[in-house]
Every structure is written in structure tokens, then in C-alpha cells.
Amino acid sequence: SNKTWALLDMALSVASGKPWWGRNTTQTRVLYVNFELPAWAMRLRMEAVRAARPDLLTQRNLTLWNLRGHATDLAILRPRLEQAIEADAYGLIIIDPAYKLLGDRDENSNTDITNFMNEFERFSERTGAAVVIAHHFAKGDPSAKYAVDRMSGAGAWARDPDALLVMTPHEEDYCFTVSSILRSLPMQDD
């Protein structure tokens, strides 16, 4: 679904204080925790995003933790994240993808995923940082389901977050339909 491309664009936009997908951002320090791609692939993608968006600043407000091959439990990583926020005042933390932090939790268990999401909520409340997590679709044709039902695993993946952006491939090449599901804000035109 090109989620990492979209998240890198978000990270660089917020770090630069530039609009992201037509929405204004507030410039802040960004920590991107990458569990999925090798460091060289992330570097090439960031260079490609910056080449396509020359309005974005260099990486001075963006820290990238390349942790491919180091999946762990969120409870183990959370203290390191909190220390990083204390030291560098990050306002946005991006976790890509979330399932790499499940530890022994079952992605299909509402109890386990609710506990997992509560960890993120406590972390965000304690630090004041916004937390963005990436999650994958279930197998099959995502367009045959409502946007809120497309996530892999337990329903808590979709019920807990304050905001969801669901990217679905469009019939036109290199295009996606984006659906927003918002808890406390008015719905946006997709």
C-alpha cells in the first residue's frame, strides 16, 4: 500500500513544518522507528521523497532508528522511547510497522491488542508526543470491506486509535484512495 512512502513523506513534512497531503503541519522533531526496511532502502526512499519535495528541509529535525531484525515487545522499547523524548523533545513518533512490537501478544486477540494500544496511549499521555503506527491489511481484496474492517487481526486495531487513514489501491496506476476515520474530529472529505 506504499505505507512507508506515505509515512516518510509525513515525517519529513512535519520535521520541516510543511503541508502533508494538503494539510498544514506544526514543525516538531520526529522520531521514525523503522522495523521493516534495511537502512540502505530507507535512505534511498528518503532521498527520493526529498527529490520529489524540494520544499522539505534536510533531516535535521528527523531521527531514524533502523531496527530491522530487532523486533521486540513495546514494553521493552517504551523506556528507550521515553528517554529519547526527554533528551530531544520529539513531538511525533512513527512506528513502522506496529506488529514488530507485539512481543508475545496475539494480533488476533482483542484483549492483547487493546493492551498493546493502551501502552501507546499511556506513552503518548506521559510524553505529549503524537504516535503514528503503521499496520497491514488482512489478506484478500481490501476494497471488498469497509475501511474500518481492513486491518489484519483483531478489531481493536481499528477501534482504539483516535484517527485512522486507510490507503486502498485505486484502479488507476500509482494512485490510492484514502479514507479517514476520526474519533473526536469532524469527518474529512476523502
Side-chain angles (χ1 to χ4, degrees), residues 43-139:
R43 186 183 74 253
L44 291 176
R45 287 187 183 198
M46 284 212 307
E47 289 170 5
V49 171
R50 284 201 319 266
R53 300 261 329 261
D55 60 320
L56 300 178
L57 302 173
T58 61
Q59 298 170 195
R60 72 170 185 251
N61 282 339
L62 175 62
T63 301
L64 182 59
W65 286 1
N66 286 306
L67 298 176
R68 180 181 168 94
H70 298 282
T72 187
D73 190 297
L74 177 58
I76 294 169
L77 183 63
R78 194 182 69 242
R80 288 197 55 212
L81 290 170
E82 290 172 352
Q83 288 173 344
I85 287 176
E86 278 184 32
D88 292 315
Y90 292 104
L92 175 62
I93 310 295
I94 298 174
I95 308 290
D96 182 16
Y99 78 88
K100 294 286 190 167
L101 288 176
L102 286 176
D104 292 332
R105 294 177 187 90
D106 177 2
E107 101 167 332
N108 295 301
S109 165
N110 277 314
T111 299
D112 285 357
I113 298 308
T114 297
N115 171 275
F116 184 63
M117 296 303 224
N118 286 341
E119 288 271 339
F120 281 115
E121 187 174 349
R122 281 190 295 273
F123 169 75
S124 182
E125 288 294 321
R126 251 194 316 275
T127 64
V131 178
V132 172
I133 63 173
H135 188 57
H136 294 98
F137 283 165
K139 292 189 175 12

Side-chain angles (χ1 to χ4, degrees), residues 10-11 14-15 28-32 89-94 128-132:
M10 174 193 281
V14 171
T28 189
R29 291 189 46 76
V30 178
L31 174 61
Y32 194 116
Y90 292 104
L92 175 62
I93 310 295
I94 298 174
V131 178
V132 172

